[in-house]
Amino acid sequence: MNDDHDPHGPLDDGPYPALKAFLLGRGIPRHKQTAEVAGLLGLAKTSVFRKFKGESSFSQPELKVIADHFATDVDTLIGVSGGPAERSGSAGAPEPARLHLPGLPASGQLQVGPLLAPDDLCDLVAVRQADGWAVYPGDADATRGLPRHSIASLRISSAPRQRVALLEDDSNAAAVVAMALEGEGMVVHTYHAAADLVGSLDRRPCQAYVIDWLLGGGTAEGAIRQIRARQPNVPIAITTGALHTGAETEGSLIPFAEAFSVGIFEKPFRQAVLASYLRRGMAPAPR
């Protein structure tokens, strides 16, 4: 059956004028609406046409599927004025949202407002994405063609970023790790000598430590002992290629790591896994 032609003729007003008007507002012409809804619900076009004609009805679960697809509510589709948020005079409960707003933190708490018409203008808009809500400037290209919501309220807080000390005597390796951790929102202080790191512990301790095990002709054992003496619970990650090259053995390194509650990341390691390990153990940054 051709989507551009319905053999039953054009749709009349029938029992679902609000649904038809909504679909039209989303850029779906009347002669395409039967096929669009049939595709969403996994039904035959003739079955959906009968529902539009009033010979049968859309069930609540079917309406919910349509509403979820277009990021709206069932009340809007059946023409109950304003939807639940507008009828109650207030927005829904705050939800987490990722913010795509230059100069502001990456996340906040959002109370979503009503669905916007395609030609409505707002300074900020909320868009439902696969992993939750996202907030964009109202004219952002990323929202074009998507269902956009107004914003009832947006709460943003900005705490100090967590600081990570990185001890690595290879400048190139240090730059790679630092870039990855900074991309995860952390502040990285890089040291190339164990003495420099140890000297900083009393001045400004960090919330996590990433330490290359082999440094010059020795190991970072002394630095780790110093850190652990001052910060018993701080996450420490050892990075090493020593096990692979045979410069260190599991029989010596692993008992030390277990005794001092240190994670071992053998090079090459996935930066995201290292960041996750640090984040799980880090306390909030002191203000």
Side-chain angles (χ1 to χ4, degrees):
M1 186 178 292
N2 190 325
D3 284 351
D4 293 324
H5 174 70
D6 196 319
H8 299 281
L11 298 174
D12 60 17
D13 288 339
Y16 294 102
L19 173 56
K20 296 171 188 175
F22 177 87
L23 294 172
L24 189 63
R26 291 295 170 270
I28 304 169
R30 289 171 69 86
H31 68 279
K32 292 273 192 177
Q33 291 178 4
T34 297
E36 178 76 15
V37 174
L40 290 176
L41 300 180
L43 299 175
K45 285 180 61 179
T46 52
S47 175
V48 173
F49 182 81
R50 286 195 294 269
K51 295 176 186 290
F52 273 129
K53 292 286 288 183
E55 297 172 8
S56 61
S57 300
F58 287 104
S59 67
Q60 280 295 114
E62 288 171 338
L63 290 170
K64 185 68 164 56
V65 169
I66 300 171
D68 288 348
H69 177 78
F70 289 104
T72 187
D73 52 72
V74 171
D75 289 336
T76 297
L77 300 185
I78 62 178
V80 176
S81 178
E86 285 186 292
R87 289 200 310 277
S88 66
S90 62
E95 301 180 64
R98 292 196 62 81
L99 310 185
H100 300 271
L101 306 173
L104 293 180
S107 61
Q109 289 289 317
L110 168 72
Q111 284 184 295
V112 181
L115 189 69
L116 297 168
D119 58 351
D120 282 338
L121 298 178
C122 281
D123 294 326
L124 300 175
V125 296
V127 176
R128 173 72 79 177
Q129 297 183 332
D131 57 351
W133 288 101
V135 176
Y136 291 90
D139 59 356
D141 290 340
T143 68
R144 295 189 188 280
L146 299 177
R148 304 172 306 142
H149 287 254
S150 61
I151 293 174
S153 70
L154 180 62
R155 181 178 179 182
I156 301 172
S157 60
S158 183
R161 295 188 181 186
Q162 292 162 313
R163 298 189 310 279
V164 177
L166 170 62
L167 176 58
E168 169 63 73
D169 58 1
D170 183 321
S171 297
N172 291 332
V176 171
V177 175
M179 183 180 299
L181 296 180
E182 287 168 353
E184 296 287 338
M186 303 173 193
V187 177
V188 179
H189 301 277
T190 301
Y191 301 90
H192 298 296
D196 294 336
L197 171 61
V198 171
S200 74
L201 295 177
D202 292 328
R203 295 194 307 271
R204 194 87 188 273
C206 289
Q207 285 76 56
Y209 295 84
V210 178
I211 297 180
D212 185 25
W213 179 244
L214 294 183
L215 299 169
T219 72
E221 178 179 341
I224 294 172
R225 289 179 179 273
Q226 294 272 10
I227 295 168
R228 192 54 84 212
R230 292 168 171 81
Q231 296 175 264
N233 299 314
V234 72
I236 302 174
I238 288 175
T239 64
T240 182
L243 296 177
H244 177 72
T245 62
E248 187 67 81
T249 66
E250 294 179 355
S252 57
L253 181 55
I254 292 178
F256 174 81
E258 291 177 346
F260 287 88
S261 299
V262 173
I264 300 176
F265 292 80
E266 184 155 13
K267 300 176 181 179
F269 52 87
R270 295 183 66 85
Q271 309 289 355
V273 176
L274 172 63
S276 175
Y277 169 81
L278 299 177
R279 192 182 297 110
R280 289 196 306 271
M282 282 192 288
R287 295 181 181 274

